[in-house]
Amino acid sequence: MTKTWMITGTSSGFGKELAQVVAKQAGTNLVATARKEADLAYLDAFDATRVAKVIMDVTNEEQVQAGVAVAKDKFGGIDVLVNNAGLGYFGTIEESNEKDVRQMFEVNVFGLGNVTKSVLPIMRVQKQGVIINISSALGVTSLPTLGWYSATKFAVEGYSNALRQEVAPLGIQVMNVEPSGARTKWNAGKTAPVEIADYSKFAGMVDGASNGVTQAPGSPELIAKTIFDMATDNKVVPDHLPLGTFATDGMKKELTNTLKDVDKYHDISVGIDQ
Ligand SMILES: NC(=O)c1ccc[n+]([C@@H]2O[C@H](COP(=O)([O-])OP(=O)(O)OC[C@H]3O[C@@H](n4cnc5c(N)ncnc54)[C@H](OP(=O)(O)O)[C@@H]3O)[C@@H](O)[C@H]2O)c1
C-alpha cells in the first residue's frame, strides 16, 4: 500500500533529509512543508505526481489547515505525520529573553499541536496512522543553558505520552524521537549571552552554540534514514527512539536517577494517600 508522509520543516536539517529519503522511496507520497517556497526547490528533482510542496508556518492555523487539505485532496490521506519543525535557544534560565522563549514554545509545542490537531481527524477516519514527534534527548534529560529549550521538549514528551494513550484504541501510534546533537542549522539559533558573573562558567556553552553546526556527532542523514526505517519496517513503532550516544547515556542516567528517588522515597510517597 502506498504510504503518504507529511513532514514539517523540510527546508533544512532532519526534515530536508527525511523528505529526500521519502521522495526517493517507491510506494510513498510526500507532503513536504516549509515556510518559504524557494526552500522546497530541491524537491523538483523527484516525481511531482508523488510530491506535494506546501507553504506552512506551523504557528499559522490557516496555513496548517490548508496544507493538510492539500494532502487529503492530492493523496487521499496522511499515513505518517512527522512533526519536525522546531527552534533552538541557548541561555541560562535567568538570562533568557521571555519573548524569544515564548516564540520557541509557539513553534516547538503549540505549532506541533496545531498540525497534529488538523491531521488527527483524517487518521481517525482511516483508523490508522503514525505520528512521529521530533522531541530531543533534552526532552528527557537537561543541560545548563538549554533549560527553556528542554522545557519545550519535555512538553512535547508529556503531550505525546498522553496522546498515545488517547489514540492507541483508534489505531494511531505516537513515537517520540529523541536525537542527540546533530549537524544541522539548529545549533545556530538564538542565544542569550551570559552576562551575570555568577553564571560565567556557562558562557562558553552559549558562545559556542553555533559550533554544533559543524561539530556535533550526529549525522542528519543517518537520523533521517533511521526514522524512516523505524516507521516502515515495524508494524508497531517504539514509544521512544533515542538517537546518538548522548541520548542513550543521558536519558539512561536521568531515568536511573529519577528511579533512585522514586525508590528511596517510596514509603513517604505512598504514605500521603489516606
Ligand atoms: N540538530 C540537533 O542537534 C537536534 C537534536 C535534537 C532535536 N532536534 C530537533 O529536530 C528538529 C529539526 O531541527 P534541525 O536540527 O533539523 O534544525 P534546522 O535545520 O534548523 O531545521 C529546523 C526546521 O524547522 C523549521 N521551522 C522553524 N520555525 C518554523 C515555523 N514557525 N513553522 C514551520 N517551520 C519552522 C525551519 O524552517 P526555516 O528554514 O524556515 O527556519 C527548519 O525547516 C527540531 O524540532 C529540533 O528541535 C535537533
Side-chain angles (χ1 to χ4, degrees):
M1 188 194 101
T2 299
K3 288 221 162 178
T4 299
W5 287 62
M6 173 181 252
I7 308 168
T8 66
T10 62
S11 67
S12 65
F14 302 157
K16 183 173 181 178
E17 293 297 336
L18 184 58
Q20 292 171 93
V21 172
V22 173
K24 266 184 217 152
Q25 191 72 32
T28 58
N29 298 318
L30 169 67
V31 183
T33 87
R35 292 193 287 183
K36 293 188 224 105
E37 171 110 43
D39 288 339
L40 296 174
Y42 67 95
L43 291 168
D44 293 343
F46 300 97
D47 176 2
T49 63
R50 295 196 296 108
V51 175
K53 298 194 265 181
V54 163
I55 302 309
M56 185 192 288
D57 181 321
V58 295
T59 66
N60 180 326
E61 281 180 46
E62 274 173 27
Q63 285 186 359
V64 168
Q65 279 164 18
V68 171
V70 168
K72 194 161 180 231
D73 293 348
K74 183 159 173 150
F75 300 125
I78 296 170
D79 300 292
V80 185
L81 166 65
V82 185
N83 281 310
N84 165 73
L87 300 176
Y89 186 82
F90 283 72
T92 63
I93 297 284
E94 190 175 344
E95 294 170 297
S96 292
N97 176 293
E98 185 180 331
K99 197 162 157 258
D100 290 337
V101 168
R102 284 182 185 275
Q103 179 56 22
M104 179 171 54
F105 268 91
E106 283 299 332
V107 177
N108 293 9
V109 182
F110 297 112
L112 175 149
N114 277 341
V115 181
T116 305
K117 189 171 178 177
S118 293
V119 170
L120 278 172
I122 295 176
M123 290 187 171
R124 281 192 290 106
V125 170
Q126 292 171 175
K127 299 196 187 317
Q128 63 88 23
V130 177
I131 297 171
I132 300 175
N133 289 333
I134 308 299
S135 170
S136 169
L138 296 177
V140 177
T141 187
S142 306
L143 288 172
T145 75
L146 282 160
W148 280 116
Y149 172 73
S150 201
T152 68
K153 296 300 188 178
F154 268 68
V156 168
E157 293 277 332
Y159 165 100
S160 305
N161 293 346
L163 179 66
R164 181 180 303 114
Q165 297 171 63
E166 291 171 1
V167 299
L170 311 174
I172 303 166
Q173 301 183 63
V174 180
M175 173 167 81
N176 292 343
V177 180
E178 290 113 353
S180 315
R183 297 180 293 277
T184 69
K185 264 184 9 189
W186 175 88
N187 316 62
K190 288 199 170 166
T191 59
V194 174
E195 285 166 354
I196 299 175
D198 286 340
Y199 297 125
S200 59
K201 71 171 178 180
F202 303 122
M205 292 182 77
V206 177
D207 296 344
S210 62
N211 290 342
V213 172
T214 49
Q215 291 170 15
S219 152
E221 293 88 342
L222 283 179
I223 287 171
K225 193 177 172 313
T226 306
I227 293 169
F228 180 81
D229 290 347
M230 200 58 67
T232 304
D233 298 345
N234 298 307
K235 274 216 166 78
V236 178
V237 297
D239 294 349
H240 298 274
L241 180 62
L243 291 175
T245 308
F246 172 74
T248 293
D249 293 352
M251 287 167 63
K252 207 181 250 183
K253 190 169 164 205
E254 186 76 38
L255 295 170
T256 305
N257 282 343
T258 302
L259 195 56
K260 247 190 237 160
D261 280 349
V262 170
D263 286 342
K264 186 168 174 188
Y265 298 109
H266 171 273
D267 292 351
I268 291 175
S269 172
V270 300
I272 65 103
D273 291 342
Q274 294 204 357

